Amino acid sequence: MQEYGEGEALAPLRVGVAGLGNVGATLVRILQKDGADLKRKLGRQLEVVAVAARSRSRDRGIDISGLQWFDDPVALAKSDGIDLFVELIGGEDGPAFAAVKAALEIGRPVVTANKALLAKHGVALAKLAEESGTQLGFEAAVAGGIPVIKTLREGLGSARIAKVFGIMNGTCNYILTRMGNEDISFADCLKDAQALGYAEADPTFDVEGFDTAHKLSILSTLCFGYEIAPEKIRVEGISRITQQDIRVAADLGYKIKLLGIAQRTEHGIEQRVHPTFVPRGSAIAGVDGVMNAVALETDHVHELLLAGPGAGGPPTASSVLSDMLDIARGTKVPPLGVPSAELMPYVEAPMRAHEGGYYIRFNAKDVPGALASIATRMSEHSISIDSVIQRSDLNAKTVAADGSATRTVVMITQQTLESSVRETLAQIAADGFIVGEPQVIRIEAL
Amino acid sequence: MQEYGEGEALAPLRVGVAGLGNVGATLVRILQKDGADLKRKLGRQLEVVAVAARSRSRDRGIDISGLQWFDDPVALAKSDGIDLFVELIGGEDGPAFAAVKAALEIGRPVVTANKALLAKHGVALAKLAEESGTQLGFEAAVAGGIPVIKTLREGLGSARIAKVFGIMNGTCNYILTRMGNEDISFADCLKDAQALGYAEADPTFDVEGFDTAHKLSILSTLCFGYEIAPEKIRVEGISRITQQDIRVAADLGYKIKLLGIAQRTEHGIEQRVHPTFVPRGSAIAGVDGVMNAVALETDHVHELLLAGPGAGGPPTASSVLSDMLDIARGTKVPPLGVPSAELMPYVEAPMRAHEGGYYIRFNAKDVPGALASIATRMSEHSISIDSVIQRSDLNAKTVAADGSATRTVVMITQQTLESSVRETLAQIAADGFIVGEPQVIRIEAL
């Protein structure tokens, strides 16, 4: 381990990069361009000496002619010619997992931007790094250019975290922002996002919330010291959000954001990803477009908000590089904040025990007694209603099966239990006064 | 230096704390209360064993009976009984400086929350730490509970910073927020802030911007690698801001915030502290009350915003503790980001070369030709006017020396040079159509 101020030049740190997509190519370019600056900062050269990717000949706008080429990322990870392995291949298994595992097994430090890999194998990989006495950095895996991993792991001292929540998917935030600003449908916004390269051809992973769940599971482990458990997260995406929902939210002083939320409760850790009503004046409501943000509520620090770019080659490469600098300096921290042996099995707070406000939108049949019936069911379950909105301009074009017209009825509840809401809605459906599934969106006071 | 995962217990890290005010007492309380949690995280006990303060008998709500007592912080700093010295005395010279220096000289790591000390002696102290091969942490010195030092020093990889700016004084932000929300005068808000403990009996250091300048000088050094130079910063406070200014700002879609701003320009580094028009929809405009925020514009990460509590015992103690944890883990980073020998002498960009938009408020004499004369002078210096506001409800109650009434005239300029504005205003004053000093507030586009 080097010490600064020793006055002698340290050997260059030889880096192998597997995966030369946008982030990988940007990283190589930054290291080639800013190498001298970094050496001045670090007292040590960081030098990419070898790369692995699928196509050797593809034009990536960087010169790789002087670098050793590997077809097999595992062979690169194990090569004697490198001191640090950077994995930018992606995917939760396959070559990414094999290569990262191979490097850690021989005690070679690894930096990765792969959230899926971390969400699935994070605990095992952290354990492997600790056993080999080496490092595993993954700053870029969550919220691209925002240094949230470092902040959670090292920046907050002993602050006990009560809640972490954030906007961690740029595709969803872009779509919701445009729906809010321009009164366009989800489908049309998605098409634009795809055209602009903000959404994949198959957008399911992003728009249905799974990407956010992967990231949340990593943050939650760093915050609460429980094992990573993305499969236990309650996930709802944004594809059912309508222009109606967005307009009513705006009328009531809210914006709709896809949030990942993890919080301590008396029942365990509640982890959930869903569209959320957030107050228009709150800091998180101001995070628009492809921006990401992570907010923390702690005992000692109260609330902290970090906002910035969640994706893109340069921000993500910058986060990869910050891990590389830590490794070059010899910084050693347990990858998941506490030694992996100290992680506790995840204790899931059941979603039914969630308490909060709810936005509920019904298509009610336009017959006498519909509203009264819905309101009665609510009251039977002691659900207090904060506002009821029934206006002709909100009415959807749906008709009931018997051909009668419907009216849109929106109710905003006060604090109530998720289980009460679910039971009430089941009874309301059975009563036969509504058409289709009600839209239910949780409200966060923040 | 310890390694995690070695499976053997490390000796406790013995801590000496000098200064038992709010932050010091909170720190001792946290370490006494959360000691077991921290040990689990760190694999090592962090134990306060000795303290120094002015009064031994004062009730601080903590039990110091088991701790070694020192009347002299320098003696504590040099004591063989501690491994880490924490300075929470405050003040740029005197016992704080003597004790920190004494500890670093014998190679003992130091953590301090003392921005004045850092602003004045930071370079010398960093050099001393490097020469002794020890650490100097000061996360708590800027923006209390926001981990901005760590983010700048370690979290941003190689991202080249173009601009750093922020709200770094809670007193000023509280006053400006209340003036904006409730239409109260500066003097009345200040009185309330004093009553609530948000402002000192002598508020000059805070409200005239000097506290912000100290903090900015530290951030600027971390961002740009120049020596710390608070005395070179152009500083304007908020005591001349009127309700008129706040109202016109709101009408035009702005809020007024006291910002510290440092940015690269072709002339060097421009550092300035002054009330600033910021667009109402910008992220920084949403940071209200005693909250602080620091924003960064970089090549690779674009914009990053960190917002949170800027002061208070628990947030500040949490930042002190995060430095202590880094030291306990053996993390070693040059205190100022680059080795102090690599710091460059500060190259000051002259304020006259600043380019931006300006809000200028005149008390113009209510005589024919006043507005024409002002407008002509502007045009002679090629200053383009974006808006002119002259409304009877804005008129101040001032009268000219000859007894005639005055009218308030506000002009918003487009991008222009500070030197042009200054020359123009000098000529306008000489023309004799205005009364008193015009109010000049810079606009940041953000």
Side-chain angles (χ1 to χ4, degrees), chain A residues 3-4 134 300 305 307 315 332, chain B residues 3-4 134 300 305 307 315 332:
Chain A
E3 304 274 330
Y4 60 73
T134 193
H300 304 154
L305 178 82
K332 224 169 237 188
Chain B
E3 304 275 330
Y4 58 76
T134 194
H300 303 155
L305 178 82
K332 223 168 236 189

Side-chain angles (χ1 to χ4, degrees), chain A residues 1 3-4 30 34 38 40-41 130 134 145-147 150-151 153-159 300-309 314-315 318 321-322 325 329 331-334 337-339 342 344, chain B residues 1 3-4 30 34 38 40-41 130 134 145-147 150-151 153-159 300-309 314-315 318 321-322 325 329 331-334 337-339 342 344:
Chain A
M1 184 165 303
E3 304 274 330
Y4 60 73
I30 290 173
D34 298 346
L38 284 169
R40 181 173 147 255
K41 209 162 167 175
E130 292 163 24
T134 193
I146 309 174
K150 198 175 189 68
T151 299
R153 203 167 47 192
E154 303 160 39
L156 291 179
S158 75
H300 304 154
V301 189
H302 315 297
E303 194 173 313
L304 198 66
L305 178 82
L306 312 176
S318 172
L321 199 46
S322 78
L325 295 181
R329 286 186 190 112
T331 300
K332 224 169 237 188
V333 185
V338 296
E342 297 283 345
M344 296 168 287
Chain B
M1 183 164 303
E3 304 275 330
Y4 58 76
I30 291 174
D34 299 345
L38 284 169
R40 182 173 147 258
K41 209 162 165 174
E130 292 163 24
T134 194
I146 309 175
K150 197 174 191 67
T151 299
R153 203 166 47 189
E154 302 159 41
L156 292 179
S158 73
H300 303 155
V301 190
H302 315 296
E303 194 171 313
L304 198 65
L305 178 82
L306 312 176
S318 173
L321 197 46
S322 78
L325 294 181
R329 288 191 189 107
T331 300
K332 223 168 236 189
V333 184
V338 297
E342 297 284 344
M344 298 168 286

